[in-house]
Amino acid sequence: MHTETFAIHAGRRIDPTTKAVAAPIVLSTTFQHAPDSSYDPYLYSRYDNPNRAALEECVAGLEVGKQGLAFASGMAAATALVHTMLKAGDHIIMPSDCYFTMRRLVRELYGEWGLEASFVDMSDLAAVEAAIKPNTRLVWTETPSNPGLFLTDIAAVAEIAHKAGALCVCDNTWATPLLQKPLELGCDAVFHSSTKYLAGHSDVLGGIVVTRDEGAVYERLRLYQKVTGGVPSPFDCWLTLRSISTLPQRMKAHCENAMKVAQFLASHPNVEKVHFPGLPENRFHALAKRQMKDFGGMVSFEVKGGWDAAIAVCGKVKIFTCATSLGAVESLMEHRASVEGVDSPTPHGLIRLSVGLEHYDDLIVDLSQALG
Ligand SMILES: *Cc1c(COP(=O)(O)O)cnc(C)c1O
């Protein structure tokens, strides 16, 4: 089945009692036992719920994995992975350019529990290999990365990890399963902040993990999900699944718009540098063509004049909204260094764009007047 069809039908069934076409939202936290006290399939909504099961089934299928596990936020899902794949004294390798809160999770919280972390530029495979230690148990990739749009060769890094006896995870939030399938490239699990493209409308927080098989990694994650209970509400699951119906169409439009915006920025005299793998001169262009179906909806660029010049641009836009987050229908702009703080490795003049679904001509006119 084609992805466009699968995204609309996976996890959906006509409700057998009401014949409703749009799935009912099941708010009940508890489900009646059979006369012999058994239950099938639902017991209690921390464990499982029809709306969550439908979402997990759909995303697992999109990622061509075996099982999906939904959490209340991306960070709750990321914590589940770190917690179940690692123990005290283990070592994790992370990308130096990565979602800022991931750095805080492994350093500030799991550091206290004896987790060791190294941050490396994963576009350099020799650097990944050199970072391996006897206690390395997990290599975390994020590609394209936030906010610099660095690309990682997923298959090569997964091989390095596996040779060292470690697991490999990919944060696929930016590419989405429409553009990139990390499990097919050798990862053991794939991670999403479903708050972004999967939900796509800036109105629901969520995280999803998909595992390659139903082995030990999956078993530990399901246990963690059931026991710690950081699960999404039935309504959040319903909203996210509804949005996934349009994900294939939204991604086509995000990619087209981002390409136009990146081309415009690359030709602008006040722009120092554009980070977008779709541009032929980008250092990740060849890898992107090999590993991704298209180049995505995220673009970063560096304004000439650094911090102050970038802030000035953010202050002038009218169609872009200056706000954090990404992956939604409306275009967003953010000066990342302001959000990440003074110790952030992000260039001071860098502005991150989440290119939405407005007409690209309007977005380009807006950027043009803001850049002066
Ligand atoms: C937003 C984001 C996260 C965190 O997800 P939340 O849903 O905000 O908890 C992790 N990774 C990437 C790449 C993100 O963009």
Side-chain angles (χ1 to χ4, degrees):
M1 195 189 289
H2 290 90
T3 312
E4 290 83 350
T5 314
F6 187 86
I8 289 170
H9 292 282
R12 284 81 159 186
R13 274 157 218 98
I14 299 293
D15 178 55
T17 51
T18 62
K19 311 295 177 197
V21 172
I25 299 170
V26 179
L27 294 176
S28 184
T29 53
T30 186
F31 300 85
Q32 189 185 30
H33 297 318
D36 66 354
S37 236
S38 65
Y39 62 92
D40 180 32
Y42 303 109
L43 173 70
Y44 181 58
S45 64
R46 170 157 43 78
Y47 280 36
D48 214 344
N49 161 280
N51 298 104
R52 196 196 318 159
L55 173 64
E56 290 175 340
E57 179 187 329
C58 181
V59 180
L62 287 173
E63 285 287 6
V64 287
K66 265 283 185 263
Q67 287 280 348
L69 300 104
F71 291 87
S73 70
M75 288 316 299
T79 304
L81 283 161
V82 169
H83 196 97
T84 56
M85 289 182 157
L86 297 160
K87 57 182 181 351
D90 285 350
H91 174 236
I92 182 174
I93 301 177
M94 306 268 307
S96 45
D97 189 76
C98 75
Y99 184 67
F100 190 66
T101 313
M102 281 304 301
R103 262 204 293 273
R104 303 198 64 181
L105 175 71
V106 301
R107 266 199 195 144
E108 294 175 37
L109 292 177
Y110 280 95
E112 287 178 349
W113 288 75
L115 180 69
E116 238 187 288
S118 302
F119 296 83
V120 305
D121 174 359
M122 290 204 180
S123 60
D124 178 358
L125 294 174
V128 180
E129 238 170 334
I132 296 273
K133 296 182 181 191
N135 57 339
T136 304
R137 291 289 168 269
L138 179 58
V139 180
W140 183 278
T141 65
E142 182 183 316
T143 177
S145 67
N146 184 5
L149 285 116
F150 286 46
L151 262 64
T152 297
D153 183 335
I154 299 171
V157 170
E159 201 184 317
I160 293 170
H162 291 155
K163 247 199 245 155
L167 296 166
C168 186
V169 168
C170 181
D171 181 340
N172 204 26
T173 300
W174 281 30
T176 82
L178 269 298
L179 307 186
Q180 177 171 279
K181 296 215 167 33
L183 297 179
E184 286 184 344
L185 297 169
C187 286
D188 301 282
V190 53
F191 159 85
H192 282 278
S193 165
S194 56
T195 312
K196 314 296 168 53
Y197 287 104
L198 298 187
H201 296 73
S202 301
D203 55 10
V204 51
L205 204 60
I208 300 186
V209 175
V210 177
T211 60
R212 181 192 183 70
D213 55 37
E214 290 173 319
V217 167
Y218 165 69
E219 293 288 346
R220 292 271 301 160
L221 281 163
R222 190 64 84 189
L223 175 72
Y224 178 96
Q225 184 196 41
K226 286 182 174 180
V227 169
T228 63
V231 292
S233 73
F235 185 47
D236 287 354
C237 295
W238 187 93
L239 277 174
T240 304
L241 185 62
R242 182 182 71 161
S243 294
I244 290 172
S245 313
T246 58
L247 179 67
Q249 305 304 334
R250 284 188 281 117
M251 287 316 293
K252 284 177 201 167
H254 281 298
C255 291
E256 186 192 1
N257 280 2
M259 179 65 94
K260 298 276 188 196
V261 164
Q263 285 166 343
F264 162 76
L265 290 169
S267 70
H268 199 284
N270 294 343
V271 173
E272 183 90 50
K273 219 187 251 174
V274 181
H275 305 278
F276 183 67
L279 297 176
E281 63 272 24
N282 182 272
R283 66 178 170 128
F284 298 113
H285 187 61
L287 174 58
K289 276 173 65 175
R290 180 151 54 84
Q291 181 168 278
M292 300 173 74
K293 241 179 137 174
D294 206 335
F295 305 109
M298 298 298 296
V299 179
S300 291
F301 66 103
E302 292 174 46
V303 182
K304 280 187 188 157
W307 187 293
D308 292 342
I311 297 280
V313 170
C314 292
K316 285 187 200 147
V317 285
K318 296 188 171 82
I319 293 175
F320 278 86
T321 300
C322 286
T324 198
S325 201
L326 57 108
V329 291
E330 69 282 341
S331 290
L332 299 178
M333 168 182 280
E334 184 173 48
H335 180 240
R336 278 306 288 177
S338 297
V339 177
E340 295 182 357
V342 280
D343 65 339
S344 147
T346 300
H348 287 173
L350 186 138
I351 291 177
R352 187 185 77 185
L353 301 180
S354 172
V355 182
L357 303 183
E358 301 91 342
H359 195 287
Y360 57 78
D361 281 343
D362 296 326
L363 298 177
I364 288 170
V365 167
D366 193 27
L367 288 170
S368 178
Q369 63 80 24
L371 279 162

